[in-house]
Amino acid sequence: MLVRDAMSTMVLTIGPAHTLREAARLMSARRVGAAVVLDPDTYGLGILTERDILDAVGAGQDPDRETAHGHTTTDVVFATPEWTLEEAAAAMARGEFRHLIVLDRSEAVGVVSVRDIIRCWLPARRRAQAAVSA
């Protein structure tokens, strides 16, 4: 299976000036665990995850004052829709993160998460086990 088969095509994009509370509210409303942060003036594409927000709040930072800019990961590993799910999972394991921005010709076309990969792998594994048992 390929990343294109698992990725979410609903990409939440925010700006670096969004507060962490605004980002959390948008992520919660869309039921996603990450937002793509677009800052054309500095680093281009970055990612803000639920863990980034949790770490900031846990450290006592004010989510109404802290902005996405200060908590965005900018050294992002990007996937392409043609990557296999194994390649995506290996990149996530190597980098110890749970989300990959999917780029197609430099455009963010999706996000793939560990959860997305599991959702694809489990049915395929069950079908394979059923075939062996039959």
Side-chain angles (χ1 to χ4, degrees), residues 72-126:
T72 297
T73 300
T74 57
D75 59 339
V76 179
V77 174
F78 298 101
T80 71
E82 292 78 29
W83 275 23
T84 65
L85 293 184
E86 289 80 8
E87 288 173 303
M92 290 177 186
R94 231 180 358 264
E96 298 182 352
F97 47 80
R98 298 177 297 162
H99 299 86
L100 284 168
I101 299 173
V102 183
L103 293 184
D104 189 11
R105 295 182 183 97
S106 300
E107 180 184 343
V109 295
V111 174
V112 65
S113 69
V114 170
R115 181 179 294 144
D116 296 328
I117 293 172
I118 291 169
R119 283 185 186 142
C120 287
W121 276 351
L122 282 179
R125 184 171 172 88
R126 287 184 187 130

Side-chain angles (χ1 to χ4, degrees), residues 12 23-32:
L12 172 59
R25 188 177 301 121
L26 290 168
M27 290 164 63
S28 178
R30 288 171 178 78
R31 305 204 37 83
V32 297

